[in-house]
Amino acid sequence: MASWLLGTSILLIHLLGIVSAIMALMSSRTSQGAVAWIISLLTFPYVALPAYWFFGRPRFYGYVSVRGQRDTVLRRILVRYRANVQPYVAPSSNADIQAVEQLAMMPLTRGNRATLLVDGQATFESLFEGIDRAEDYVLIQFFIVRNDALGQRLLSHLQRAAKRGVRVYFLYDEVGSRKLNEGYLGDLTREGASVSAFRSSRGFKHRFQLNFRNHRKVTVVDGKEGWVGGLNVGIEYLGEDPRQGAWRDTHLKLQGPSVLGLQEAFWEDWHWATDEVISLNWIADTSSSTDHHVVIVPSGPADRQDTASLLVQQVIHSAKQRLWVTSPYFVPDQGVQDALRLAAMRGVDVRVMIPERPDHLLVFLSAFSFLPDMLRAGVKIYRYLPGFLHQKVMLVDDEAATVGTINLDNRSFRLNFEITAFIPSPEFAASVAVMLENDFEQCRRVTMDEINQRSMWMKVVSRAAYLTAPVQ
């Protein structure tokens, strides 16, 4: 009897492995991911099956279904909101900008002010001042919130806002902020703030969707001011963690109609997490001092297409003189790799800035498998020396720049909810250029000799690490 049960169990596991392999074949977003899952599921189903059901799902189906259900209440509100923004839509004949609008499913708006925040000190000073100005509500969302000195400062500002009657909505990722204790959250709720985890595995049907994370960092005050970029909440983002050392990151403050794009992304995420439809200000507020054009580009695993990857490819293809990119995690998919190489081949000054010191070993090792092809094509790779590089910025010629949360890896392209501000403004691009020029002065350039001197063992390990890119 025992042997029969064992044999039946083994057969069932292998059958499930075959069924899951077929699912991977039909639904994986990349051929590399499909091949990796199929081989694993057919040869090692005992290990691969649970891994696939936790990490191999290609889309966030729960969010997709809820998005479809929103056609009743939320869709009507969005129709009214879009009508309010219509007077500030900036029609463009530029095909590159039109492509970004199509990806974002949001319009290019005028009458914005985009302020570059070049480090953690500038970012949190600006953000805390904004929270203190709030009169109606604060929407705040981070991937990581730590209960350290910076986290306590944020808590204090939010508590004071709540005490004076401001509605506070605090959304966090339960994996990124897994160390955030109940005491911190309780202190917020006792002051009247609304608090929720993103809950990617909410509900019985979606219990295996742990691999989808909300990586967005968004703050909105009264629908008039917004912040987005690479910084989370922790003392390391101020360079005050002795283990991490210096920290290089960039954030962005927005004023004007584009803030409502940030607000819409938060609003949808909050509805997924809580089923609540919160009442917000949807009247666009314009900046009187500047006229930056902005497109807000939300992306994530509920999209019908790979929005983040396509956005990066579109930005690369639009470059004519220079393309400067910074990313802490650089394991781009084949489409982005090809686009970078082709840009360099057509004479574009393509520079990619990545950290000298990694905080993710597999990502660090993976890069060595494709860097030789990049260097041979003329792509210039720089490693940032003073400390950890975490900013996510792209500069295109003297015309446009992006600041957001997208890393150049599969997780950001296909597994995480991300958000990016695309700003086709020469004035803003000039400020980004000055910032990046200073950063490049603190980098060393990677050479082909350095790559070729790797041992055979390192080459094998790097290639093996690259095979894990679909789930990194």
Side-chain angles (χ1 to χ4, degrees):
M1 183 65 176
S3 61
W4 180 84
L5 286 175
L6 178 61
T8 302
S9 299
I10 292 173
L11 177 62
L12 180 60
I13 289 172
H14 280 273
L15 286 174
L16 288 173
I18 293 171
V19 171
S20 298
I22 294 171
M23 293 176 62
L25 174 66
M26 300 304 293
S27 62
S28 291
R29 294 190 177 191
T30 67
S31 57
Q32 179 187 0
V35 169
W37 282 120
I38 289 170
I39 292 175
S40 300
L41 288 164
L42 294 180
T43 55
F44 307 106
Y46 311 101
V47 176
L49 263 177
Y52 177 73
W53 284 99
F54 278 100
F55 302 115
R57 304 289 291 279
R59 293 191 188 279
F60 196 158
Y61 293 110
Y63 201 105
V64 171
S65 62
V66 170
R67 179 176 281 173
Q69 296 165 9
R70 285 201 297 263
D71 286 341
T72 52
V73 179
L74 273 68
R75 195 55 53 191
R76 289 199 296 269
I77 297 172
L78 282 179
V79 168
R80 293 200 300 271
Y81 144 56
R82 293 291 175 87
N84 293 336
V85 171
Q86 193 61 38
Y88 307 103
V89 170
S92 175
S93 60
N94 185 310
D96 293 321
I97 295 176
Q98 291 174 356
V100 174
E101 289 182 285
Q102 290 292 317
L103 284 171
M105 293 191 293
M106 288 192 182
L108 177 75
T109 60
R110 61 177 177 81
N112 298 286
R113 181 180 183 182
T115 304
L116 192 64
L117 302 170
V118 298
D119 56 26
Q121 192 65 41
T123 296
F124 288 104
E125 180 179 334
S126 173
L127 192 148
F128 292 156
E129 289 175 353
I131 294 173
D132 291 344
R133 284 192 295 270
E135 297 177 353
D136 186 3
Y137 60 83
V138 175
L139 314 177
I140 190 156
Q141 171 181 25
F142 283 98
F143 178 63
I144 297 172
V145 179
R146 301 199 192 282
N147 188 10
D148 58 13
L150 183 61
Q152 284 295 315
R153 288 174 61 192
L154 173 63
L155 176 64
S156 176
H157 284 275
L158 293 176
Q159 287 176 314
R160 289 202 297 270
K163 283 179 180 177
R164 65 177 187 269
V166 173
R167 292 178 291 149
V168 175
Y169 298 93
F170 182 89
L171 185 63
Y172 64 96
D173 186 89
E174 61 266 44
V175 172
S177 299
R178 62 190 178 276
K179 295 182 180 180
L180 193 61
N181 58 38
E182 292 297 325
Y184 189 99
L185 302 175
D187 288 343
L188 264 178
T189 55
R190 277 189 290 275
E191 296 296 344
S194 298
V195 177
S196 178
F198 181 62
R199 300 171 65 201
S200 61
S201 56
R202 180 175 70 119
F204 182 79
K205 291 192 301 183
H206 316 304
R207 63 195 181 279
F208 294 123
Q209 296 189 150
L210 296 176
N211 202 32
F212 298 125
R213 306 267 43 98
N214 197 313
H215 194 240
R216 293 170 179 168
K217 298 96 174 169
V218 171
T219 304
V220 174
V221 170
D222 296 339
K224 299 177 180 180
E225 298 177 274
W227 290 260
V228 65
L231 286 107
N232 288 295
V233 181
I235 60 170
E236 66 268 34
Y237 292 87
L238 297 174
E240 295 177 0
D241 186 338
R243 294 172 300 175
Q244 297 281 2
W247 191 279
R248 181 68 192 91
D249 221 328
T250 299
H251 225 69
L252 175 71
K253 179 185 176 184
L254 290 172
Q255 297 165 274
S258 62
V259 174
L260 299 186
L262 296 179
Q263 179 167 285
E264 181 180 325
F266 179 97
W267 187 57
E268 288 194 345
D269 288 348
W270 185 266
H271 178 64
W272 158 258
T274 67
D275 284 328
E276 296 175 4
V277 180
I278 54 178
S279 176
L280 301 174
N281 166 42
W282 295 105
I283 304 300
D285 185 56
T286 60
S287 169
S288 59
S289 58
T290 56
D291 188 19
H292 294 147
H293 290 190
V294 179
V295 182
I296 299 299
V297 189
S299 58
D303 298 351
R304 293 183 178 179
Q305 53 191 353
D306 297 332
T307 304
S309 176
L310 291 174
L311 171 66
V312 173
Q313 291 181 62
Q314 170 57 34
V315 168
I316 296 169
H317 289 309
S318 69
K320 297 177 177 62
Q321 285 85 38
R322 68 175 168 185
L323 174 78
W324 293 355
V325 179
T326 71
S327 178
Y329 309 113
F330 185 61
V331 192
D333 59 24
Q334 196 61 51
V336 171
Q337 289 183 40
D338 292 344
L340 287 169
R341 291 199 298 266
L342 284 170
M345 289 176 182
R346 66 175 185 266
V348 176
D349 175 21
V350 180
R351 305 185 191 182
V352 178
M353 189 188 310
I354 57 179
E356 171 76 357
R357 296 185 300 174
D359 74 337
H360 193 307
L361 183 59
L362 284 178
V363 171
F364 178 77
L365 293 172
S366 297
F368 286 101
S369 65
F370 57 82
L371 285 184
D373 290 338
M374 290 279 181
L375 295 174
R376 279 191 286 267
V379 176
K380 305 176 184 110
I381 308 294
Y382 292 82
R383 290 199 177 274
Y384 186 73
L385 296 175
F388 187 65
L389 175 84
H390 192 256
Q391 62 176 331
K392 306 97 166 46
V393 174
M394 294 186 288
L395 174 66
V396 185
D397 301 330
D398 298 323
E399 303 300 322
T402 71
V403 178
T405 67
I406 295 175
N407 297 311
L408 268 64
D409 65 359
N410 184 70
R411 175 158 291 282
S412 276
F413 288 167
R414 296 179 178 86
L415 300 176
N416 286 347
F417 287 87
E418 307 281 4
I419 192 162
T420 299
F422 173 80
I423 306 172
S425 161
E427 179 189 4
F428 182 77
S431 66
V432 173
V434 170
M435 177 185 74
L436 294 182
E437 284 168 355
N438 181 64
D439 289 339
F440 279 117
E441 289 177 358
Q442 302 177 73
C443 293
R444 69 174 183 86
R445 186 171 169 182
V446 178
T447 66
M448 185 61 76
D449 286 343
E450 173 186 344
I451 300 297
N452 290 336
Q453 288 172 3
R454 292 174 301 154
S455 66
M456 179 56 68
W457 171 246
M458 180 59 73
K459 293 177 182 178
V460 171
V461 170
S462 298
R463 194 63 190 174
Y466 183 59
L467 292 178
T468 68
V471 294
Q472 285 178 13

